[in-house]
Amino acid sequence: MEYAIETIGLTKIFSDWWGRARVYAVDDLNLQILPNEVFGLLGPNGSGKTTTIKMLLGLLHPTKGHALILGGDGTDPKISKRIGFLPEESYLYRFLNARETLDFYGRLFGLDSKTRQVRIEALLEMVGLKAVASRPVGTYSKGMARRIGLAQALINDPDLLILDEPTTGLDPIGTRQIKDLILKLAERGKTVLLCSHLLADVEDVCHRIAILYGGKVQAQGRVKDLLQQTNKTQIVTDTVSDAAVSRIRQILSDEHAEYEVTAPMEKLETFFIKTVVEAQQQATPTSGAVSTTQIGDFLTAGGRQENILDKLVSTSVSEKTPAEPVQTEAVQPREVVPPTANKDLLSKLTQAGASPQTERVSPTPVETPSEVRQEEVKKGVLDKLTKNDAANPPSAIRHPPSKDGGSGHA
Amino acid sequence: MRRVWAVATNTIRQAMRMKVAAVFIVLLLVLLPVMGFTATGDGTLKGRLQTFVSYGLSLTSLLLSLLTIIVSIYTVTSDIEHRQIYTVVTKPIRRYQIILGKVLGVIVLDVALLVLFAGIVYGVTAWLPKFVNATQEERQAVDNEFYTARASLVPPLADVQKEVEATYRKLSKEDLATIYPNMSQEEVFKQLTNRKRLEKRAAAVGQWLVWEFHNVKVRDPNQSLFVRFKYDVSVTPQDEQVYGRWQVGDPRQFQQGAQGPGQTPVWEQTRKDIVRKFHELEVPASVVAKDGYLAVGFYNPPPLNDTVVLFPLDDGLEVLYKADTFAGNFLRAALLILCRLVFLACLGALAASFLSFPVAILFCIVIFVTGTASGFIVDSFGYMDQNISRIYTYTVQAILQLLPQFDKYNPTKFLVPARLMTWSLLGEVALVMVMIKGLLLLALALLIFSFRELAKVVV
Ligand SMILES: Nc1ncnc2c1ncn2[C@@H]1O[C@H](COP(=O)(O)OP(=O)(O)O)[C@@H](O)[C@H]1O
Ligand SMILES: [Mg+2]
């Protein structure tokens, strides 16, 4: 069996100029990533994710062990031809504009000018930078630079995509888009190595994950296996009558089960995207990245032009994710936010940064009741991993008054 | 190759975005024309042109050299420092191709800038006489002694080894101790050799000196050739001037058994010149025999002079003749500068392959300056190596030989006195400076860069 990426006892020790102060950045790492797998490499800052990638790509020499990538050496042009790489930060030539940047990288891949042209336009469209494509990338905001970095990684239609913290600096739509892209690529048989400390990113898209700490793998396995709580059951229904609810409560009490009845919350991500789409439909001008985007044609073999956003707002996205979404929600219904409060929400969102789930959002009408919700706070692996309390919801009410239970609507 | 070219074009863009490049270019664009009208030299038209060409080309060469050093280093170190290199080396391109692309980009930039600036210098030089007042005489002198490329024939140094050995043998131990105190045998030989050679180039009163030249290839027999000479004397006359009777031509035709037809004219002149200064005799080129033979004779006339007249060994006498045009010479001078720039681009790539920006710049500037003063440095070691151990000769001097010898091949050394720079000289410089030294540096750079850990951060 050939792995897409295989590391055998991979070790990297950094020492200072005198050979002192040794840092075990990566310590005896054994990873096996299968072709057509979306693999998440998780870990807190400084756990060795980036160092691992650098060794895979030949930017650093391993102190011990080997790294095989697509069955060979990452520096071999035959292999690097099939790899797309988005580094930790988008290291771009500041004096080139977006189009020139992509053209340069396209030329490094030896693509002919026609292919380059087609792909550049498709990618610019996809990452929403078409309108600003003639500005030097040195003037871009971090997120915009990130987008062009992503486009750069895709210009060769890679078989293996290595993304190092792809979502840092990106707005939620960009984040969502990257996740969609990863899923799309996986559908097409590509392999993705996703490094992140943002748990939500990884959780939504990865088939398997490994959690690094101190350069060592602490846990590894399928996301489903790692996260599934075998001792809990979740039932999601359309709004049902109070009578039905109390009958169910009765049954559950008879079973002596601990339970909780709430209205499912919409994910903030979904809500945010919906808000921005509405704003865009009203043609609010922006000098930033435009988010009505498709995934580059040449990346989706079928070539079917589809608007990702349609799917995003219809919440069907979460069904597609291979991993079970682990949503933790505040269940207390709060006063309804009038439509004008959307701006508030946006500003809160930017402060909240990378962990939108922790925000308390007033429930808004749920469009598709099929959205899967889970009531329990999971004190799982993911929680322990980060000091970041992202996974801890502000409140989860175990036994809410039965009357309020199912009514999230105003 | 396409990938190398992609890196090269990107390097050119990068260089054009650098403020230094822009500053240098603007500086040259302003300074060169200004210099054309401010450089006056000794006031004559010729002096003016010589000063301009000398300053103009030197400045161009200096600034382009510095620019080459800075750009070739910056383009590599900046990519590493700002980590764009991460996204480049992970593409299907070999590391050596990246360095080749960078060096190629710098060279293409150099060629473009050199064409521009050498073009300006040439343009100003060619048009300057039209804009200044000058006598007809001055213009004539400029045509003969500046707008041309003259080949130089220097009489070979006489072989005096046997005589020196004979003289040395005759010297007794006491003689040696008194005449040459504290000198090694080698040094005594050196002195004796010089003295004997000078004797061969000294004319006592009433004596002839004849120099013979072969293979004199004159472009056009209707033009002139020039005998450039400098007198030295044993007793300086009161007015510091001596007489000389000169004959230039083919004396074989007057010898017995020489064929009648096919005779060439013989030029003759008696003149009075200041000693220890250069003078030129203008002689019609038709005096050169068909087979390229030419003899120059000097006679120390008895009643007029009362001193021995000598022609110093290094520059006492030479024959100059027009062998090419000024344009041809200028082109080769520009190519010579290009050789220098190519060498520096390779040097910059090497320095950048393992040093950080400031250190690499320092390293290259030191080598550049050393190369510019290489003759001086080699000489100073030359004086030393007899007294101090021979280790110097084999280490320091060997290293110095590896350095570029910019001063030895300075283009203005040819253009100012309108000396012919031959293609073979240029070829030799290109071979040594570019093909051997430059490629050696480049190969080393490629090797180091290929095996370097690019993501390693050194604080
Ligand atoms: N060039 C370097 N020199 C010394 N230490 C380094 C170097 N690069 C990374 N490290 C150290 O190695 C560890 C792992 O870093 P990294 O792989 O970048 O972490 P992350 O998982 O956040 O990507 C950190 O402790 C970091 O300080
Ligand atoms: Mg990292």
Side-chain angles (χ1 to χ4, degrees):
Chain A
M1 177 73 213
E2 182 163 296
Y3 296 104
I5 291 177
E6 185 179 18
T7 68
I8 305 146
L10 195 65
T11 304
K12 181 71 192 178
I13 306 171
F14 287 111
S15 44
D16 70 4
W17 200 76
W18 305 100
R20 291 175 311 165
R22 292 143 85 83
V23 178
Y24 280 77
V26 176
D27 192 0
D28 193 22
L29 184 69
N30 294 293
L31 285 180
Q32 275 129 23
I33 302 176
L34 295 168
N36 192 17
E37 184 171 46
V38 179
F39 192 92
L41 200 53
L42 275 167
N45 300 131
S47 55
K49 306 180 295 288
T50 302
T51 307
T52 305
I53 291 183
K54 283 177 180 169
M55 282 190 283
L56 285 173
L57 294 170
L59 289 165
L60 286 173
H61 302 321
T63 311
K64 274 205 294 274
H66 307 278
L68 287 174
I69 186 161
L70 295 172
D73 181 356
T75 57
D76 182 352
K78 279 199 208 70
I79 287 174
S80 44
K81 217 185 180 109
R82 298 164 54 203
I83 299 174
F85 169 49
L86 173 64
E88 217 169 358
E89 276 166 49
S90 311
Y91 305 117
L92 302 165
Y93 290 100
R94 299 169 56 83
F95 50 88
L96 297 178
N97 67 33
R99 210 168 255 125
E100 290 164 342
T101 302
L102 294 182
D103 192 58
F104 171 62
Y105 290 111
R107 286 164 70 190
L108 290 185
F109 276 110
L111 302 176
D112 60 75
S113 75
K114 209 166 162 195
T115 315
R116 288 204 303 269
Q117 220 173 353
V118 172
R119 290 192 180 178
I120 288 169
E121 293 312 314
L123 284 170
L124 285 175
E125 183 76 35
M126 171 184 147
V127 298
L129 293 175
K130 203 154 197 170
V132 292
S134 48
R135 257 168 56 188
V137 296
T139 67
Y140 282 10
S141 76
K142 183 171 180 193
M144 289 159 82
R146 208 75 194 122
R147 284 160 182 262
I148 196 76
L150 179 71
Q152 164 274 130
L154 293 170
I155 191 122
N156 59 328
D157 189 12
D159 291 340
L160 169 65
L161 190 60
I162 299 180
L163 303 172
D164 195 354
E165 317 232 348
T167 55
T168 45
L170 279 185
D171 58 40
I173 296 176
T175 307
R176 185 69 251 173
Q177 206 192 341
I178 287 197
K179 291 193 240 175
D180 275 330
L181 175 81
I182 292 171
L183 294 171
K184 261 263 144 46
L185 293 173
E187 257 172 45
R188 285 192 53 213
K190 314 271 178 178
T191 314
V192 180
L193 171 59
L194 175 65
C195 281
S196 188
H197 54 238
L198 298 183
L199 308 180
D201 295 354
V202 175
E203 188 185 351
D204 286 354
V205 296
C206 290
H207 302 142
R208 278 203 310 144
I209 57 169
I211 296 174
L212 279 186
Y213 186 80
K216 282 194 159 87
V217 175
Q218 306 291 337
Q220 187 172 189
R222 295 166 59 82
V223 177
K224 242 184 198 141
D225 301 344
L226 292 175
L227 300 185
Q228 199 156 50
Q229 295 181 307
T230 44
N231 58 344
K232 291 210 166 67
T233 309
Q234 185 179 36
I235 303 165
V236 180
T237 69
D238 287 340
T239 313
V240 289
S241 67
D242 287 358
V245 172
S246 46
R247 273 215 303 285
I248 294 168
R249 283 175 188 276
Q250 191 53 53
I251 296 168
L252 292 174
S253 298
D254 292 350
E255 293 267 327
H256 301 292
E258 242 185 57
Y259 64 90
E260 170 178 16
V261 180
T262 61
M265 300 274 296
E266 191 173 15
K267 280 173 78 178
L268 179 56
E269 186 186 39
T270 317
F271 176 74
F272 176 89
I273 290 168
K274 199 168 65 187
T275 312
V276 175
V277 169
E278 275 164 16
Q280 271 176 8
Q281 277 161 359
Q282 288 160 24
T284 315
T286 176
S287 60
V290 183
S291 304
T292 15
T293 56
Q294 293 103 7
I295 288 174
D297 272 348
F298 70 95
L299 295 170
T300 51
R304 193 164 54 93
Q305 289 267 341
E306 43 194 336
N307 194 337
I308 304 153
L309 285 164
D310 290 344
K311 277 197 284 166
L312 290 180
V313 286
S314 72
T315 69
S316 61
V317 171
S318 31
E319 289 172 345
K320 268 172 46 189
T321 59
E324 205 117 307
V326 188
Q327 274 322 121
T328 55
E329 308 287 344
V331 286
Q332 193 84 302
R334 262 158 265 270
E335 73 286 21
V336 177
V337 182
T340 49
N342 283 350
K343 277 190 205 117
D344 264 289
L345 196 67
L346 279 170
S347 64
K348 264 201 251 169
L349 184 90
T350 45
Q351 284 153 23
S355 43
Q357 300 95 314
T358 57
E359 282 293 323
R360 284 164 181 244
V361 189
S362 305
T364 45
V366 176
E367 286 159 351
T368 333
S370 67
E371 176 135 10
V372 186
R373 296 287 176 226
Q374 219 164 317
E375 294 124 313
E376 272 302 317
V377 178
K378 301 254 160 45
K379 289 264 177 204
V381 205
L382 291 170
D383 286 73
K384 278 192 223 145
L385 182 80
T386 47
K387 284 145 214 136
N388 191 343
D389 58 350
N392 283 323
S395 71
I397 295 158
R398 304 256 150 180
H399 293 284
S402 57
K403 281 247 168 103
D404 300 338
S407 61
H409 307 268
Chain B
M1 189 59 214
R2 261 204 294 188
R3 290 165 191 170
V4 173
W5 186 242
V7 175
T9 47
N10 196 47
T11 303
I12 295 171
R13 283 181 190 212
Q14 200 171 14
M16 297 313 284
R17 288 305 173 111
M18 282 178 71
K19 301 281 187 306
V20 222
V23 167
F24 280 15
I25 291 169
V26 170
L27 209 65
L28 275 176
L29 283 179
V30 172
L31 278 182
L32 287 181
V34 167
M35 261 178 11
F37 292 94
T38 52
T40 47
D42 59 5
T44 64
L45 179 60
K46 182 174 143 195
R48 200 170 173 150
L49 287 167
Q50 285 175 330
T51 322
F52 174 70
V53 128
S54 156
Y55 285 5
L57 268 194
S58 300
L59 188 72
T60 303
S61 166
L62 175 70
L63 290 189
L64 286 188
S65 294
L66 291 179
L67 186 68
T68 305
I69 291 176
I70 293 173
V71 171
S72 62
I73 291 174
Y74 179 81
T75 184
V76 178
T77 54
S78 151
D79 276 17
I80 295 174
E81 182 134 355
H82 298 124
R83 307 187 185 181
Q84 288 101 338
I85 203 79
Y86 290 10
T87 50
V88 177
V89 289
T90 51
K91 302 287 179 275
I93 180 170
R94 290 282 185 189
R95 289 196 183 179
Y96 73 86
Q97 292 175 312
I98 297 174
I99 293 292
L100 283 184
K102 300 248 171 218
V103 171
L104 179 67
V106 174
I107 291 174
V108 168
L109 185 72
D110 277 338
V111 170
L113 291 179
L114 193 60
V115 165
L116 175 67
F117 296 125
I120 292 176
V121 173
Y122 184 81
V124 173
T125 318
W127 286 85
L128 195 63
K130 296 202 169 57
F131 293 102
V132 295
N133 300 320
T135 63
Q136 196 51 43
E137 214 167 86
E138 269 184 315
R139 289 179 196 279
Q140 182 75 39
V142 163
D143 280 342
N144 279 332
E145 292 161 36
F146 183 77
Y147 289 122
T148 178
R150 301 187 297 184
S152 149
L153 296 169
V154 182
L157 290 172
D159 179 14
V160 290
Q161 188 164 358
K162 283 207 183 94
E163 294 167 54
V164 169
E165 275 166 12
T167 316
Y168 189 79
R169 258 182 269 119
K170 269 183 238 152
L171 287 170
S172 66
K173 277 236 155 61
E174 290 82 58
D175 288 342
L176 275 174
T178 49
I179 310 173
Y180 308 105
N182 301 326
M183 278 193 184
S184 67
Q185 185 183 343
E186 214 173 298
E187 283 169 291
V188 175
F189 258 84
K190 225 179 196 170
Q191 286 216 351
L192 282 175
T193 308
N194 266 345
R195 220 178 63 197
K196 287 281 171 206
R197 280 180 175 155
L198 208 54
E199 276 171 19
K200 305 265 178 213
R201 295 179 59 149
V205 179
Q207 210 184 346
W208 275 97
L209 277 178
V210 177
W211 294 273
E212 290 181 299
F213 300 95
H214 302 273
N215 293 321
V216 182
K217 292 191 197 88
V218 191
R219 258 165 68 88
D220 176 4
N222 296 322
Q223 285 187 322
S224 308
L225 51 79
F226 302 86
V227 178
R228 184 179 159 92
F229 64 92
K230 185 164 82 173
Y231 293 134
D232 206 347
V233 286
S234 56
V235 186
T236 311
Q238 230 140 45
D239 59 355
E240 297 201 347
Q241 298 193 45
V242 290
Y243 286 89
R245 184 158 151 230
W246 290 87
Q247 279 186 358
V248 186
D250 179 8
R252 293 173 307 178
Q253 55 192 315
F254 307 113
Q255 283 159 14
Q256 287 217 322
Q259 278 103 0
Q263 288 193 344
T264 48
V266 171
W267 181 88
E268 189 166 351
Q269 193 179 54
T270 302
R271 49 189 283 157
K272 193 180 181 193
D273 295 288
I274 298 177
V275 299
R276 295 186 200 96
K277 279 227 156 73
F278 286 110
H279 306 282
E280 284 189 13
L281 309 174
E282 188 178 347
V283 182
S286 54
V287 298
V288 180
K290 293 251 158 24
D291 59 353
Y293 176 85
L294 181 73
V296 175
F298 169 80
Y299 180 66
N300 189 352
L304 300 171
N305 287 351
D306 53 3
T307 169
V308 177
V309 177
L310 305 116
F311 293 85
L313 283 181
D314 43 354
D315 54 2
L317 184 121
E318 63 183 321
V319 173
L320 301 168
Y321 60 95
K322 292 185 186 175
D324 197 3
T325 58
F326 176 72
N329 226 24
F330 192 88
L331 173 71
R332 287 185 290 270
L335 288 175
L336 193 67
I337 296 180
L338 185 62
C339 286
R340 179 184 291 204
L341 298 179
V342 171
F343 173 88
L344 289 173
C346 296
L347 181 70
L350 172 64
S353 70
F354 71 104
L355 295 171
S356 66
F357 183 73
V359 188
I361 291 279
L362 189 70
F363 173 79
C364 287
I365 299 274
V366 166
I367 291 197
F368 176 67
V369 171
T370 323
T372 311
S374 70
F376 171 75
I377 295 173
V378 169
D379 282 354
S380 64
F381 276 106
Y383 285 119
M384 212 182 239
D385 66 15
Q386 277 149 8
N387 302 328
I388 307 178
S389 78
R390 282 181 181 276
I391 297 169
Y392 275 110
T393 328
Y394 294 113
T395 55
V396 181
Q397 206 167 325
I399 293 170
L400 283 171
Q401 293 297 334
L402 281 178
L403 290 178
Q405 291 170 321
F406 294 146
D407 51 350
K408 196 164 153 195
Y409 303 112
N410 187 348
T412 59
K413 251 170 56 179
F414 296 92
L415 290 181
V416 169
R419 287 294 164 83
L420 174 74
M421 184 198 296
T422 58
W423 282 107
S424 68
L425 177 88
L426 184 65
E428 186 191 314
V429 173
L431 181 76
V432 174
M433 205 184 273
V434 177
M435 302 310 286
I436 297 177
K437 291 182 184 176
L439 286 187
L440 214 65
L441 295 177
L442 191 60
L444 208 55
L446 299 179
L447 206 69
I448 294 175
F449 192 74
S450 292
F451 289 103
R452 188 178 161 182
E453 266 188 308
L454 285 173
K456 181 137 193 151
V457 181
V458 182
V459 186

